Amino acid sequence: MIPAQGYVDQKVGVLGLGRSGLATARALNAGGARPLVWDDGADARDAAEADGFEVLDLSKTVNLEDMVSLIVSPGIPHLYPKPHPAVAAAWAAGVPVDNDIGLFFRSFATQDWESFDQMPKVIAVTGSNGKSTTSALIHHILTEVKKPTQLAGNIGRGVLDIEPAIEGEVVVLELSSYQIDLARALTPDVAVFTNLTPDHLDRHAGLGGYFAAKRRLFAEGGPDRAIIGVDEPEGAYLANQTNGGNGDDRVIRISSGQKLSGPGWSVFARKGYLSEWRKGRQVASIDLRAIAGLPGAHNHQNACAAYAACRTVGLAPRVIEQAFHSFAGLPHRSQLVAERGGVRFVNDSKATNVDSAAKALQAFKRIRWICGGLEKEGGLDALLPHTDDVLKAYVIGREARNFALKLGGVAHQVCDTMEAAVTAAAQDAKAGDTVLLAPAAASFDQYDSFERRGDDFMRCVKALDD
């Protein structure tokens, strides 16, 4: 645990008592503060009270008297679509509102660092798609080379739940727009932006607000190195805004699909090969095609981002390449779960939006596509140009029939349930086909998370052999 600094004997509110909220309360307690906690759920409040925390309704302004800060969990709206009543009460009472990310960056460095010859570093990764894989891949590479490292944030442990850094350690944080948007302190050594596609638009009042939240990691944080995907206009804009001029190697541009030129530092993947260029010259190349844990162009972009991040902390290209080959990938993200009679079964339940599903569809040939669920804003039209390799779609979800109507000319079968879809796809599949779960929709109509949906897919695949 990282004890929260700067609040000894002071009252600090904690709103939301999920994983990050409880870690925040414990970190405040360890740092000598007096945490006052609240959650809208009675069960969460009861559990916190049983752990010895003082529970207080933070939506009442009178309860915020003498409070020096309110720490808000990332899942709780602080502005759009409307602020939580406790946040509004804090505004009215003049109490600064922050989150655990801001608290982490203010508390990470300790007096122990004065004796270190090599300072710890933080690599923070954000973006719409691929940030989990990129973060896990960076952490994997660092682990493989025996460099001390921890993984936290939107993946793994809460940021305040990790251990205090030791000399030379690299902490890798996956940060969502929710986590970045409210943080009062953002000071990563290396910041990574993978890409931008529409998501969480209600929470940020549109695409512009969503991008503005991501941009804060670079504008507010002032990282020593900025690694930026430039395949969308927003990324190209951010790279230009961050760049100090020709040859500025503080900015590393990355791409999947286009060759990047110019005198600066760039890493890009084309036709399955990763290339690193500096000062107009190629300095390294890696064949990504045989790396089983990184299939498809979207994972090649993740590889470029992770490669660039590891280069900034001094790792050699061949060392990174070797570590790529032992990366197994993350669960529910292009995860090969079985192969039966030459048919592969791939779990990409994390493909919850159109863009991520499109990338999954581009990674495989001869696809038996399991899709459907709680459709997100924007429809499916942007997905249809990427369905050329789909032999047939097997549609699940409570609104499966409506979802199927939006698949255009794609051959399809309405299956409703995962079990029916897996069974039908397996019966139709021939050697060389891939049965791919890439829903292009949220899971909440049938499952409480994309993980549960992916687990159900794997259960159904396993049941084929029973």
Side-chain angles (χ1 to χ4, degrees):
M1 177 189 299
I2 295 180
Q5 298 185 38
Y7 296 111
V8 175
D9 296 328
Q10 294 180 308
K11 296 179 182 179
V12 179
V14 177
L15 179 62
L17 297 173
R19 183 189 64 165
S20 65
L22 286 173
T24 298
R26 294 180 184 124
L28 287 163
N29 201 38
R34 180 185 166 190
L36 305 172
V37 305
W38 181 257
D39 192 287
D40 290 340
D43 290 345
R45 296 197 299 268
D46 292 343
E49 195 165 29
D51 282 347
F53 291 111
E54 186 175 351
V55 177
L56 197 66
D57 187 348
L58 299 176
S59 65
K60 298 180 179 179
T61 304
V62 66
N63 289 338
L64 298 172
E65 291 179 2
D66 302 324
M67 194 173 290
V68 296
S69 185
L70 175 65
I71 309 299
V72 179
S73 294
I76 297 174
H78 59 271
L79 185 55
Y80 302 112
K82 66 178 182 178
H84 187 279
V87 174
W91 295 347
V95 175
V97 179
D98 201 354
N99 65 9
D100 62 328
I101 304 303
L103 195 57
F104 165 83
F105 278 112
R106 289 202 307 277
S107 304
F108 183 53
T110 66
Q111 290 184 343
D112 293 341
W113 290 26
E114 295 177 3
S115 63
F116 292 170
D117 292 325
Q118 189 176 5
M119 293 296 108
K121 292 182 180 293
V122 175
I123 299 175
V125 181
T126 194
S128 296
N129 299 307
K131 57 184 180 293
S132 294
T133 297
T134 298
S135 300
L137 181 55
I138 295 169
H139 180 254
H140 170 79
I141 295 166
L142 295 169
T143 301
E144 288 292 290
V145 302
K146 310 301 183 186
K147 195 168 184 65
T149 180
Q150 297 184 75
L151 178 65
N154 207 41
I155 186 174
R157 304 162 72 182
V159 292
L160 294 168
D161 204 29
I162 66 173
E163 299 304 315
I166 63 175
E167 182 170 355
E169 186 165 31
V170 179
V171 173
V172 184
L173 301 181
E174 179 197 337
L175 299 182
S176 70
S177 59
Y178 294 1
Q179 292 170 305
I180 297 170
D181 199 18
L182 194 58
R184 285 176 165 250
L186 285 167
T187 53
D189 299 279
V190 180
V192 181
F193 176 88
T194 58
N195 51 55
L196 192 88
T197 58
D199 208 359
H200 308 304
L201 301 188
D202 59 334
R203 181 67 181 266
H204 298 289
L207 185 61
Y210 177 51
F211 174 56
K214 300 284 190 186
R215 183 178 178 272
R216 288 192 77 242
L217 186 63
F218 300 82
E220 303 290 335
D224 295 332
R225 300 278 189 186
I227 298 164
I228 301 173
V230 295
D231 289 335
E232 294 87 31
E234 293 86 357
Y237 165 81
L238 181 59
N240 183 269
Q241 287 278 299
T242 310
N243 185 13
N246 285 341
D248 183 0
D249 66 1
R250 294 174 301 174
V251 178
I252 306 175
R253 295 179 300 145
I254 62 170
S255 172
S256 175
Q258 60 175 318
K259 180 179 179 179
L260 301 178
S261 59
W265 194 351
S266 61
V267 179
F268 57 88
R270 292 184 72 224
K271 299 180 179 179
Y273 285 87
L274 179 153
S275 298
E276 178 187 4
W277 285 66
R278 297 187 73 171
K279 299 179 180 179
R281 298 177 58 188
Q282 184 173 352
V283 297
S285 177
I286 297 174
D287 185 352
L288 300 173
R289 295 172 299 174
I291 299 175
L294 296 168
H298 61 306
N299 274 310
H300 293 175
Q301 183 187 56
N302 299 334
C304 289
Y307 174 94
C310 290
R311 291 288 280 143
T312 68
V313 295
L315 301 190
R318 293 304 165 212
V319 170
I320 300 171
E321 180 180 8
Q322 186 175 3
F324 275 171
H325 283 277
S326 58
F327 181 65
L330 287 179
H332 315 295
R333 297 163 175 87
S334 297
Q335 177 190 12
L336 178 63
V337 298
E339 186 165 347
R340 301 170 67 255
V343 177
R344 293 183 296 175
F345 292 80
V346 176
N347 168 23
D348 204 333
S349 183
K350 184 60 171 68
T352 59
N353 59 40
V354 165
D355 183 74
S356 55
K359 289 175 178 175
L361 291 175
Q362 293 172 72
F364 303 97
K365 302 295 184 182
R366 296 185 55 81
I367 299 168
R368 303 283 174 179
W369 178 30
I370 299 178
C371 58
L374 190 62
E375 188 179 341
K376 290 192 172 181
E377 185 178 346
L380 302 177
D381 289 349
L383 187 57
L384 299 183
H386 306 288
T387 57
D388 290 347
D389 287 311
V390 174
L391 300 174
K392 187 176 179 181
Y394 304 80
V395 188
I396 64 174
R398 292 180 184 172
E399 298 295 328
R401 285 160 182 76
N402 289 336
F403 195 98
L405 290 174
K406 300 176 183 179
L407 293 178
V410 177
H412 62 266
Q413 178 178 337
V414 173
C415 297
D416 296 321
T417 68
M418 183 70 74
E419 184 174 10
V422 170
T423 300
Q427 289 174 345
D428 292 345
K430 298 178 175 60
D433 291 357
T434 295
V435 176
L436 172 66
L437 171 65
S443 61
F444 302 123
D445 62 330
Q446 292 181 309
Y447 305 93
D448 60 9
S449 68
F450 72 83
E451 292 96 341
R452 291 288 180 88
R453 177 171 59 192
D455 289 343
D456 195 29
F457 172 76
M458 292 189 287
R459 178 190 64 79
C460 293
V461 171
K462 184 176 183 299
L464 295 172
D465 297 319
D466 294 342

